[in-house]
Amino acid sequence: MYHRRFKGTHYEVGYKWGKTLLKFGKKLDNCPTFELTEDRYIFAKKCEKEYKRYFPELLEEIQGIAEGNEIPVETLQALLFSMYCFEFDNKCTCFAFKTDEEILFARNSDFLVDIEKLYMNCIYNLKNSNSFNGNTTAFVQMEDGVNEHGLAVGLTFIYPKIKKPGFNSGMLVRYLLEKCRTTEEAIAELHRLPIASAQTITIADKYGEIAVVESNPKDIVVIRPEEGERFVATANNFNSELMQQYRNTTIDDWRSHDRYKTVYNALKGKQELYSVEYAKAILSGKYGFMCQYNRKKNADTVWSVVYDLKRKQVWRVEGNPSRKQFKEDVRWKFL
């Protein structure tokens, strides 16, 4: 996993990073996991209008990367804006729980083994934005993270049945980390922003407000803890009644239901066990199937994180948590 720090304006950090990659012979004019087709270029051009309206700073960052990397900005936009909207092979599991003593967000990111060395941990300190510590299988877009105000956000991808120009999963996570301070603010923004892809977004804040938001371009459902419970959980499927119609049962979801049931069964009615170590154990597969993939099939858990919002700590495994140890990231501080 690469580690990068970004400080300055959006354009400045983009240009510097694009230039650095070019210096080492890396051009961002293709994607190792999908082909940049004409359909993606057309779709990205339509999305650009939405980013210009709701998140113009992001366009400035992408422009900076393109200029620093000496590639057309249209190529970079086609790569970034079409992610999650056509197809994408990342799988993941998220959960959050709270007690009087604990507020935790936890996530496993499951993806392709053959590009695992390209994944990034990013620390952003941008002008006029929340600073945050986030992780991504690409760049610019984020898949999970926590910001300086103690707001943690993470996605799980759902294969799309419908799409329209707007923000994809990773850009939604990036926006919420940069712009919001609380779970309720984040939920309000998800209702306001144009959504392009299908996903669940798990949100937790330092006040103990936790939720899973299931959404696609047409519908959005906010899931709170069940009565008497103090957790939420999700994997790569919709679980609410309204969103069932958008489930795709024909694709390989890397045992999404099994991962969801592992977390659900480990957390339901077990509040006395809730702790950082318990979250790590669940992510590590000690309570059922979570990360026990066959790497020979090019699938594995490529990172695992626990954001401890009470103690203001970030714990991460750069690899599969069943084989590697969580380490605290002390490079970045909450407010």
Side-chain angles (χ1 to χ4, degrees), residues 91-102:
K91 310 294 186 291
C92 28
T93 310
C94 290
F95 62 88
F97 59 67
K98 61 179 180 177
T99 67
D100 292 341
E101 291 76 34
E102 307 287 348

Side-chain angles (χ1 to χ4, degrees), residues 144-212:
D144 64 66
V146 63
N147 70 22
E148 61 183 320
H149 300 289
L151 178 71
V153 184
L155 67 84
T156 75
F157 170 68
I158 311 289
Y159 275 80
K161 281 195 169 183
I162 55 176
K163 62 179 179 289
K164 76 172 186 179
F167 284 47
N168 66 34
S169 304
M171 295 305 191
L172 289 171
V173 172
R174 168 74 187 268
Y175 180 94
L176 298 180
L177 290 170
E178 233 180 88
K179 302 292 185 180
C180 300
R181 297 187 177 200
T182 67
T183 296
E184 296 309 316
E185 283 183 19
I187 291 172
E189 288 298 284
L190 289 173
H191 278 94
R192 185 180 74 93
L193 295 170
I195 294 175
S197 53
Q199 58 277 310
T200 78
I201 295 183
T202 303
I203 313 169
D205 65 24
K206 66 182 180 181
Y207 305 105
E209 293 298 323
I210 60 177
V212 169

Side-chain angles (χ1 to χ4, degrees), residues 1 83-84 109 118-122 134-144 303:
M1 179 176 264
M83 282 184 183
Y84 304 100
S109 181
L118 300 179
Y119 307 145
M120 293 177 63
N121 168 258
C122 306
N135 304 297
T136 178
T137 57
F139 53 95
V140 179
Q141 61 95 24
M142 292 291 127
E143 285 145 47
D144 64 66
W303 77 74

